[in-house]
Amino acid sequence: MIKFIIISRHKPGWTRERFFYEWAFIHVSLMLHTAPSMRRFKRYVQHYANPDIPNEYRVLPGSAMGWESYAEHWTEKLETTTPGPEYTEQMQPHSFSDSAMEIAYVQGEIAYQRTDFHSGGVKVIHRLAKPARRSDAELLGEWRDKHVLTVTHLLAERGMRKYEINLPCVIDAAEFRGNRVGTLFERASIDPPLGIEELWFDTLEDALRLGSDPELHSALTSSYGGFIDMQNSYSMIAHERVVFDFVTPGEISAQSAVLNPDSLEAKVFKTGRPYHEPKVEGPASKPGRPG
Protein backbone atom coordinates (compact mmCIF):
# COMPACT_ATOMS: atom_id res chain seq x y z
CA MET A 1 0.00 0.00 0.00
CA ILE A 2 1.06 3.60 -0.66
CA LYS A 3 0.71 6.22 2.08
CA PHE A 4 -0.07 9.75 0.95
CA ILE A 5 1.20 11.90 3.84
CA ILE A 6 0.11 15.46 4.66
CA ILE A 7 1.88 17.32 7.49
CA SER A 8 0.41 20.66 8.50
CA ARG A 9 -0.72 23.07 11.25
CA HIS A 10 -3.54 25.51 12.00
CA LYS A 11 -3.93 28.54 9.78
CA PRO A 12 -3.18 32.10 10.98
CA GLY A 13 -5.84 33.51 13.28
CA TRP A 14 -7.04 30.10 14.43
CA THR A 15 -6.23 28.08 17.53
CA ARG A 16 -5.01 24.50 17.64
CA GLU A 17 -8.29 23.52 19.30
CA ARG A 18 -10.32 24.97 16.40
CA PHE A 19 -8.04 23.30 13.86
CA PHE A 20 -8.37 19.90 15.52
CA TYR A 21 -12.15 20.27 15.80
CA GLU A 22 -12.52 21.05 12.08
CA TRP A 23 -10.21 18.18 11.17
CA ALA A 24 -11.73 15.63 13.55
CA PHE A 25 -15.40 16.23 12.76
CA ILE A 26 -16.14 18.42 9.73
CA HIS A 27 -13.35 17.16 7.49
CA VAL A 28 -14.04 13.53 8.41
CA SER A 29 -17.76 13.98 7.79
CA LEU A 30 -17.07 15.41 4.34
CA MET A 31 -14.73 12.55 3.52
CA LEU A 32 -17.18 9.85 4.64
CA HIS A 33 -19.90 11.44 2.51
CA THR A 34 -17.73 11.82 -0.60
CA ALA A 35 -17.95 8.65 -2.68
CA PRO A 36 -14.72 9.14 -4.73
CA SER A 37 -12.60 9.50 -1.60
CA MET A 38 -14.15 6.41 -0.01
CA ARG A 39 -13.49 4.41 -3.17
CA ARG A 40 -9.85 5.45 -3.40
CA PHE A 41 -8.64 5.58 0.21
CA LYS A 42 -8.35 2.20 1.93
CA ARG A 43 -7.21 3.52 5.30
CA TYR A 44 -7.27 7.02 6.77
CA VAL A 45 -5.32 7.86 9.91
CA GLN A 46 -5.08 11.16 11.79
CA HIS A 47 -2.29 12.12 14.20
CA TYR A 48 -2.86 15.02 16.59
CA ALA A 49 0.58 16.33 17.56
CA ASN A 50 1.76 18.66 20.32
CA PRO A 51 4.70 20.79 19.09
CA ASP A 52 4.95 22.45 22.52
CA ILE A 53 6.55 19.36 24.12
CA PRO A 54 10.15 20.49 24.86
CA ASN A 55 13.11 19.00 23.02
CA GLU A 56 14.43 17.59 26.28
CA TYR A 57 11.79 14.85 25.86
CA ARG A 58 12.74 14.06 22.25
CA VAL A 59 15.62 12.22 20.62
CA LEU A 60 15.14 14.33 17.47
CA PRO A 61 14.12 17.99 17.85
CA GLY A 62 10.62 19.24 17.25
CA SER A 63 9.97 20.85 13.87
CA ALA A 64 10.77 24.54 13.54
CA MET A 65 7.46 24.81 11.65
CA GLY A 66 5.47 23.70 14.69
CA TRP A 67 3.62 20.97 12.81
CA GLU A 68 0.42 19.81 14.54
CA SER A 69 -1.11 17.27 12.17
CA TYR A 70 0.11 14.21 10.31
CA ALA A 71 -2.42 12.50 8.03
CA GLU A 72 -2.05 9.14 6.28
CA HIS A 73 -4.21 8.29 3.26
CA TRP A 74 -3.59 4.69 2.14
CA THR A 75 -4.08 3.80 -1.53
CA GLU A 76 -3.49 0.66 -3.57
CA LYS A 77 -1.31 2.44 -6.13
CA LEU A 78 0.64 5.66 -6.55
CA GLU A 79 -1.80 8.33 -7.76
CA THR A 80 -1.03 12.05 -7.74
CA THR A 81 -4.34 13.10 -9.31
CA THR A 82 -7.41 14.08 -7.30
CA PRO A 83 -10.12 11.38 -6.92
CA GLY A 84 -12.50 13.27 -9.24
CA PRO A 85 -14.48 16.50 -9.73
CA GLU A 86 -16.99 15.55 -7.04
CA TYR A 87 -14.14 15.24 -4.54
CA THR A 88 -12.76 18.66 -5.49
CA GLU A 89 -16.18 20.30 -5.34
CA GLN A 90 -17.09 18.83 -1.97
CA MET A 91 -13.73 18.84 -0.16
CA GLN A 92 -11.77 21.80 -1.55
CA PRO A 93 -13.92 24.64 -0.13
CA HIS A 94 -13.28 23.32 3.38
CA SER A 95 -10.11 25.24 4.24
CA PHE A 96 -8.95 24.57 7.78
CA SER A 97 -5.13 24.31 7.66
CA ASP A 98 -2.24 26.64 6.93
CA SER A 99 -0.91 26.93 3.38
CA ALA A 100 2.44 25.74 4.78
CA MET A 101 2.53 21.94 4.65
CA GLU A 102 4.71 19.01 3.69
CA ILE A 103 3.65 16.24 1.32
CA ALA A 104 5.18 12.78 0.90
CA TYR A 105 4.34 9.45 -0.70
CA VAL A 106 5.86 6.49 1.16
CA GLN A 107 5.63 2.71 1.57
CA GLY A 108 5.82 1.15 5.02
CA GLU A 109 7.82 -1.82 6.33
CA ILE A 110 7.07 -3.25 9.77
CA ALA A 111 10.33 -3.64 11.70
CA TYR A 112 8.82 -4.78 15.00
CA GLN A 113 5.31 -5.48 16.28
CA ARG A 114 4.04 -7.00 19.53
CA THR A 115 1.54 -9.81 19.25
CA ASP A 116 -1.06 -7.78 21.18
CA PHE A 117 -0.68 -4.69 18.99
CA HIS A 118 -3.72 -2.64 18.04
CA SER A 119 -3.64 0.71 16.25
CA GLY A 120 -4.20 4.01 18.01
CA GLY A 121 -2.71 5.76 21.01
CA VAL A 122 0.60 7.47 21.73
CA LYS A 123 3.05 7.65 18.91
CA VAL A 124 6.39 9.24 17.94
CA ILE A 125 6.98 10.11 14.29
CA HIS A 126 10.47 10.90 12.97
CA ARG A 127 10.96 12.61 9.61
CA LEU A 128 14.51 11.69 8.64
CA ALA A 129 16.53 14.02 6.41
CA LYS A 130 19.27 12.84 4.06
CA PRO A 131 22.85 13.88 4.76
CA ALA A 132 24.90 15.24 1.87
CA ARG A 133 27.33 13.18 -0.20
CA ARG A 134 25.98 9.72 0.64
CA SER A 135 24.03 7.40 -1.63
CA ASP A 136 20.45 6.39 -0.93
CA ALA A 137 21.42 2.71 -1.08
CA GLU A 138 24.13 3.16 1.54
CA LEU A 139 21.85 5.11 3.87
CA LEU A 140 19.01 2.63 3.47
CA GLY A 141 21.37 -0.23 4.29
CA GLU A 142 22.49 1.44 7.52
CA TRP A 143 18.89 2.22 8.44
CA ARG A 144 17.58 -1.30 7.86
CA ASP A 145 20.60 -3.36 8.89
CA LYS A 146 21.91 -1.38 11.88
CA HIS A 147 19.57 1.29 13.19
CA VAL A 148 16.41 -0.86 13.15
CA LEU A 149 18.17 -3.47 15.28
CA THR A 150 19.39 -0.80 17.72
CA VAL A 151 15.93 0.75 18.14
CA THR A 152 14.27 -2.64 18.61
CA HIS A 153 16.88 -3.74 21.14
CA LEU A 154 16.59 -0.52 23.15
CA LEU A 155 12.82 0.00 23.08
CA ALA A 156 11.10 -3.41 22.80
CA GLU A 157 11.16 -3.72 26.60
CA ARG A 158 10.50 -0.02 27.19
CA GLY A 159 6.88 0.21 26.08
CA MET A 160 7.29 0.20 22.29
CA ARG A 161 4.34 -1.65 20.73
CA LYS A 162 5.29 -1.32 17.07
CA TYR A 163 8.05 0.14 14.92
CA GLU A 164 7.57 0.87 11.21
CA ILE A 165 9.88 2.49 8.70
CA ASN A 166 8.53 4.25 5.60
CA LEU A 167 10.54 4.61 2.40
CA PRO A 168 9.83 7.47 -0.04
CA CYS A 169 8.20 7.01 -3.44
CA VAL A 170 9.40 9.10 -6.37
CA ILE A 171 6.74 11.42 -7.81
CA ASP A 172 6.64 14.21 -10.38
CA ALA A 173 6.28 17.35 -8.24
CA ALA A 174 5.19 19.49 -11.21
CA GLU A 175 2.47 17.00 -12.11
CA PHE A 176 1.27 16.89 -8.49
CA ARG A 177 1.02 20.69 -8.29
CA GLY A 178 -0.55 20.89 -11.74
CA ASN A 179 -3.35 18.58 -10.61
CA ARG A 180 -4.05 20.82 -7.62
CA VAL A 181 -3.93 24.33 -9.08
CA GLY A 182 -5.79 26.76 -6.84
CA THR A 183 -5.58 24.56 -3.72
CA LEU A 184 -3.34 24.70 -0.65
CA PHE A 185 -1.48 21.66 -2.00
CA GLU A 186 -0.18 23.72 -4.92
CA ARG A 187 2.28 25.43 -2.54
CA ALA A 188 3.17 22.38 -0.41
CA SER A 189 6.75 21.26 0.15
CA ILE A 190 7.34 17.99 -1.72
CA ASP A 191 11.06 17.58 -0.96
CA PRO A 192 11.27 13.81 -0.25
CA PRO A 193 12.74 12.72 3.10
CA LEU A 194 15.22 9.91 3.55
CA GLY A 195 12.26 8.24 5.22
CA ILE A 196 9.74 8.44 8.04
CA GLU A 197 9.73 6.35 11.21
CA GLU A 198 6.62 5.54 13.23
CA LEU A 199 6.94 4.26 16.81
CA TRP A 200 3.90 3.29 18.90
CA PHE A 201 4.14 3.30 22.72
CA ASP A 202 2.03 2.10 25.64
CA THR A 203 2.08 5.48 27.38
CA LEU A 204 3.19 9.06 26.87
CA GLU A 205 5.80 8.51 29.59
CA ASP A 206 7.32 5.69 27.51
CA ALA A 207 7.48 8.00 24.48
CA LEU A 208 9.05 10.89 26.40
CA ARG A 209 11.74 8.58 27.78
CA LEU A 210 13.50 8.77 24.38
CA GLY A 211 14.72 12.20 25.41
CA SER A 212 14.48 12.22 29.21
CA ASP A 213 16.49 9.04 29.88
CA PRO A 214 20.16 10.10 29.46
CA GLU A 215 21.53 6.66 28.60
CA LEU A 216 18.72 5.86 26.18
CA HIS A 217 18.97 9.28 24.56
CA SER A 218 22.73 8.93 24.12
CA ALA A 219 22.46 5.48 22.51
CA LEU A 220 19.69 6.53 20.13
CA THR A 221 21.41 9.80 19.18
CA SER A 222 24.57 7.90 18.34
CA SER A 223 22.61 5.52 16.11
CA TYR A 224 20.71 8.27 14.28
CA GLY A 225 23.85 10.32 13.85
CA GLY A 226 25.42 7.52 11.84
CA PHE A 227 23.08 7.83 8.86
CA ILE A 228 20.81 10.93 8.95
CA ASP A 229 21.14 14.72 8.92
CA MET A 230 20.33 15.34 12.58
CA GLN A 231 19.98 19.11 12.16
CA ASN A 232 17.25 18.88 9.50
CA SER A 233 15.40 15.85 10.84
CA TYR A 234 12.55 16.32 13.31
CA SER A 235 10.05 14.53 15.54
CA MET A 236 6.32 14.72 16.20
CA ILE A 237 4.78 13.38 19.41
CA ALA A 238 1.17 12.60 18.67
CA HIS A 239 -2.01 10.68 19.39
CA GLU A 240 -3.07 8.34 16.57
CA ARG A 241 -6.73 8.07 15.53
CA VAL A 242 -7.72 5.56 12.85
CA VAL A 243 -10.78 7.02 11.12
CA PHE A 244 -11.39 4.00 8.88
CA ASP A 245 -9.45 0.92 7.81
CA PHE A 246 -10.42 -1.52 5.07
CA VAL A 247 -7.12 -3.44 4.86
CA THR A 248 -5.73 -4.35 8.31
CA PRO A 249 -6.73 -7.81 9.62
CA GLY A 250 -8.49 -7.53 12.95
CA GLU A 251 -9.20 -3.82 12.47
CA ILE A 252 -11.50 -3.77 9.42
CA SER A 253 -14.07 -0.96 9.46
CA ALA A 254 -17.67 -1.21 8.33
CA GLN A 255 -18.18 -0.12 4.73
CA SER A 256 -19.06 3.53 4.20
CA ALA A 257 -22.79 4.02 3.66
CA VAL A 258 -22.17 6.47 0.80
CA LEU A 259 -21.00 3.52 -1.35
CA ASN A 260 -24.42 1.85 -0.99
CA PRO A 261 -26.59 3.44 -3.74
CA ASP A 262 -29.74 2.85 -1.67
CA SER A 263 -28.45 4.61 1.44
CA LEU A 264 -29.48 8.06 2.60
CA GLU A 265 -25.84 9.19 2.41
CA ALA A 266 -25.54 8.14 -1.25
CA LYS A 267 -28.76 9.93 -2.17
CA VAL A 268 -27.67 13.11 -0.40
CA PHE A 269 -24.30 12.95 -2.19
CA LYS A 270 -25.95 12.36 -5.57
CA THR A 271 -28.41 15.25 -5.22
CA GLY A 272 -25.92 17.65 -3.63
CA ARG A 273 -24.91 19.29 -6.91
CA PRO A 274 -25.47 22.02 -7.80
CA TYR A 275 -25.69 23.41 -4.26
CA HIS A 276 -26.47 26.98 -5.32
CA GLU A 277 -29.42 29.05 -6.45
CA PRO A 278 -30.67 28.89 -10.06
CA LYS A 279 -28.41 30.90 -12.36
CA VAL A 280 -28.91 32.31 -15.84
CA GLU A 281 -26.03 31.76 -18.24
CA GLY A 282 -25.39 34.65 -20.64
CA PRO A 283 -27.40 37.86 -21.16
CA ALA A 284 -31.03 37.75 -20.15
CA SER A 285 -33.56 37.98 -23.01
CA LYS A 286 -37.10 39.31 -22.76
CA PRO A 287 -39.82 36.91 -23.83
CA GLY A 288 -41.72 38.09 -26.91
CA ARG A 289 -45.41 38.93 -26.91
CA PRO A 290 -47.87 37.41 -29.33
CA GLY A 291 -49.00 39.79 -32.05
Side-chain angles (χ1 to χ4, degrees):
M1 300 294 289
I2 304 295
K3 300 179 187 179
F4 170 40
I5 307 296
I6 304 173
I7 304 171
S8 190
R9 64 189 182 188
H10 70 268
K11 60 184 180 182
W14 279 29
T15 63
R16 188 179 304 155
E17 290 75 16
R18 170 72 184 277
F19 173 53
F20 283 169
Y21 168 78
E22 295 267 345
W23 191 30
F25 296 104
I26 299 177
H27 185 73
V28 165
S29 178
L30 286 170
M31 179 175 285
L32 295 178
H33 288 82
T34 305
S37 69
M38 297 311 301
R39 282 193 292 266
R40 173 180 286 191
F41 301 131
K42 305 306 178 185
R43 190 172 192 260
Y44 177 50
V45 186
Q46 297 180 329
H47 298 81
Y48 301 85
N50 183 358
D52 300 332
I53 294 176
N55 284 338
E56 65 192 75
Y57 295 107
R58 305 170 185 260
V59 65
L60 296 180
S63 169
M65 297 297 288
W67 298 130
E68 298 166 325
S69 66
Y70 178 97
E72 293 181 355
H73 308 72
W74 290 36
T75 63
E76 292 179 311
K77 58 184 178 179
L78 184 60
E79 296 176 293
T80 59
T81 59
T82 58
E86 301 97 336
Y87 174 89
T88 302
E89 185 179 56
Q90 189 145 316
M91 299 292 290
Q92 183 172 319
H94 182 226
S95 172
F96 66 102
S97 68
D98 193 4
S99 60
M101 61 177 64
E102 292 182 359
I103 300 295
Y105 286 83
V106 299
Q107 283 186 291
E109 296 181 4
I110 298 174
Y112 168 80
Q113 180 172 307
R114 282 196 330 219
T115 56
D116 64 347
F117 175 79
H118 197 278
S119 300
V122 177
K123 193 166 172 181
V124 176
I125 298 166
H126 291 149
R127 187 190 189 279
L128 307 179
K130 287 191 263 188
R133 298 180 297 277
R134 296 191 64 185
S135 71
D136 290 352
E138 181 184 7
L139 294 170
L140 180 57
E142 291 198 27
W143 189 10
R144 275 188 176 135
D145 301 335
K146 297 180 181 179
H147 180 72
V148 164
L149 296 177
T150 298
V151 169
T152 303
H153 172 72
L154 291 170
L155 301 179
E157 301 301 323
R158 288 183 167 95
M160 185 174 73
R161 300 185 290 124
K162 182 178 178 180
Y163 174 34
E164 185 164 345
I165 66 174
N166 296 275
L167 311 179
C169 302
V170 177
I171 68 166
D172 186 324
E175 178 186 38
F176 176 89
R177 290 194 171 96
N179 289 327
R180 289 164 171 80
V181 172
T183 73
L184 293 179
F185 295 118
E186 188 180 8
R187 298 186 293 278
S189 171
I190 317 179
D191 183 30
L194 168 64
I196 297 174
E197 290 187 323
E198 299 175 87
L199 302 94
W200 288 255
F201 290 92
D202 286 323
T203 67
L204 179 59
E205 182 180 15
D206 292 326
L208 299 181
R209 194 178 293 125
L210 273 62
S212 64
D213 183 316
E215 292 185 7
L216 184 58
H217 181 269
S218 176
L220 288 170
T221 299
S222 177
S223 184
Y224 282 109
F227 75 104
I228 70 169
D229 178 349
M230 294 281 286
Q231 183 176 355
N232 292 307
S233 299
Y234 65 78
S235 66
M236 300 176 71
I237 300 175
H239 182 90
E240 179 185 67
R241 174 203 190 195
V242 178
V243 178
F244 59 79
D245 186 341
F246 304 132
V247 294
T248 305
E251 301 187 19
I252 303 296
S253 304
Q255 190 61 262
S256 175
V258 76
L259 298 181
N260 175 1
D262 296 323
S263 69
L264 172 61
E265 289 82 358
K267 292 175 182 177
V268 169
F269 176 76
K270 185 177 180 180
T271 60
R273 294 169 303 281
Y275 53 85
H276 52 70
E277 74 284 358
K279 294 182 179 180
V280 176
E281 302 296 336
S285 58
K286 296 182 179 179
R289 293 184 177 179

